[in-house]
Amino acid sequence: MQTHALDIQALKRDQGPSTGQLGPAHTSLRMENLNLFYNDVQALFDINLEIPRQRVTAFIGPSGCGKSSLLRCINRMNDLVDGCRINGRLLLETEDVYDRRVDVAALRRRIGMVFQKPNPFPKSIYENVAYGLRIQGINKKRILDEVVEKSLRAAALWEEVKDRLHESALGMSGGQQQRLVIARTIAVEPEVLLLDEPASALDPISTLKIEELIYELKSRYTIVIVTHNMQQAARVSDMTAFMYMGKLIEYDDTDTLFTNPEQKQTEDYITGRYG
């Protein structure tokens, strides 16, 4: 994988402009009047958003604006927070994520999540990637071997670890651990990848590898990334949503939002006047 940061922008230009008007056939996730409350405190206000399939959508905004809370709504991680309640609708394809009949464990296999700090299990590299398959009852060595190699290759990690698959994942570097977690997530073949500031704890070289990986993975997955780094959002995303105080202020293709925003709040944030 020899792509460099500037090449990513060139590749994005080659595929033509994105559009916010995608229609149902091209929409992976749809939010309709989504509100989130922590006990009596409202954290998200009437979010309406369409996230395109097999594209990268970035959520940006100052700390505490609700972007990570919104990300966690998508695969119901907020269910784990006491006093949390949600109203409105959030659709994965045509299925309401918050329908009472939804199997949450199955939902989280369809919508994988990678957190800010790498969290490999205290197991071997191989067993980290195979973990999700074993949970599903898949234990045939041939299948596990194939999926582990395929997932590590997809995460641009195979060549670095193929000779030490049975060593502890905890001995890997931070950047390698984060790519391992991505490999573990995609091993169960999700439809959507949620990335919550996946490179914020990494050095610049590891950050570049993660950004290159995001670009390559979007041909197979819908990717939603939360980032504090506006330059990163500009480099890796096709669409960008700017949030402020729990509200969606502006949503557009990334190039338009960064170069010609419609809202003054967006312009002020991008130009560093606040946030």
Side-chain angles (χ1 to χ4, degrees):
M1 185 168 62
Q2 300 298 321
T3 310
H4 295 287
L6 291 176
D7 295 329
I8 293 175
Q9 286 298 84
L11 289 166
K12 285 171 65 178
R13 287 193 297 272
D14 289 344
Q15 70 185 19
S18 301
T19 174
Q21 304 298 320
L22 294 159
H26 301 284
T27 299
S28 178
L29 295 159
R30 184 190 310 272
M31 303 171 194
E32 300 175 353
N33 300 316
L34 189 73
N35 295 279
L36 170 67
F37 300 82
Y38 295 118
N39 295 311
D40 295 329
V41 177
Q42 188 165 0
L44 295 174
F45 298 82
D46 290 320
I47 304 295
N48 289 280
L49 189 61
E50 291 185 10
I51 294 176
R53 184 182 295 118
Q54 293 180 334
R55 291 289 184 269
V56 180
T57 299
F59 295 166
I60 65 170
S63 297
C65 71
K67 52 189 184 296
S68 289
S69 291
L70 181 58
L71 191 76
R72 291 195 298 267
C73 286
I74 296 174
N75 71 342
R76 293 185 55 169
M77 288 296 291
N78 286 321
D79 288 11
L80 305 174
V81 180
D82 291 339
C84 175
R85 59 189 173 89
I86 290 171
N87 59 45
R89 295 214 306 166
L90 199 162
L91 304 177
L92 172 61
E93 303 296 340
T94 58
E95 183 177 16
D96 189 342
V97 166
Y98 285 90
D99 189 301
R100 292 182 180 179
R101 294 167 291 185
V102 167
D103 181 331
V104 177
L107 174 73
R108 291 179 184 150
R109 285 195 292 271
R110 296 177 67 191
I111 307 177
M113 189 161 187
V114 175
F115 297 92
Q116 179 176 359
K117 184 178 179 181
N119 59 340
F121 301 142
K123 299 173 179 287
S124 70
I125 295 169
Y126 183 100
E127 287 302 329
N128 263 269
V129 182
Y131 180 81
L133 297 174
R134 291 196 188 278
I135 289 294
Q136 295 179 39
I138 299 171
N139 290 298
K140 289 187 177 179
K141 186 176 185 302
R142 178 183 61 80
I143 296 175
L144 293 177
D145 287 351
E146 288 177 2
V147 172
V148 168
E149 179 175 348
K150 179 182 176 182
S151 301
L152 288 170
R153 285 189 183 279
L157 197 54
W158 174 254
E159 294 299 327
E160 296 174 39
V161 302
K162 63 183 180 181
D163 297 324
R164 53 190 181 107
L165 292 176
H166 300 289
E167 295 179 14
S168 173
L170 301 182
M172 304 170 78
S173 71
Q176 288 177 325
Q177 287 185 0
Q178 193 66 300
R179 282 182 285 148
L180 176 67
V181 172
I182 292 173
R184 185 178 73 199
T185 303
I186 62 179
V188 296
E189 298 187 346
E191 299 163 43
V192 178
L193 282 177
L194 307 178
L195 308 176
D196 193 356
E197 299 191 60
S200 65
L202 304 180
D203 62 81
I205 293 175
S206 296
T207 295
L208 176 59
K209 288 183 178 180
I210 293 293
E211 290 180 3
E212 292 173 340
L213 177 57
I214 290 169
Y215 182 83
E216 293 188 0
L217 289 176
K218 77 173 182 180
S219 64
R220 281 169 282 167
Y221 307 100
T222 298
I223 300 176
V224 187
I225 179 172
V226 164
T227 179
H228 274 107
N229 186 326
M230 285 185 288
Q231 289 78 21
Q232 182 174 79
R235 285 192 298 265
V236 304
S237 70
D238 302 286
M239 306 291 293
T240 298
F242 169 58
M243 298 185 65
Y244 185 69
M245 295 185 70
K247 297 179 181 179
L248 177 62
I249 305 301
E250 187 166 353
Y251 178 55
D252 209 331
D253 72 83
T254 296
D255 290 342
T256 299
L257 187 135
F258 276 94
T259 60
N260 189 28
E262 290 186 357
Q263 303 298 322
K264 187 176 185 303
Q265 271 184 299
T266 310
E267 182 180 356
D268 287 348
Y269 181 71
I270 289 170
T271 56
R273 290 178 189 149
Y274 72 84

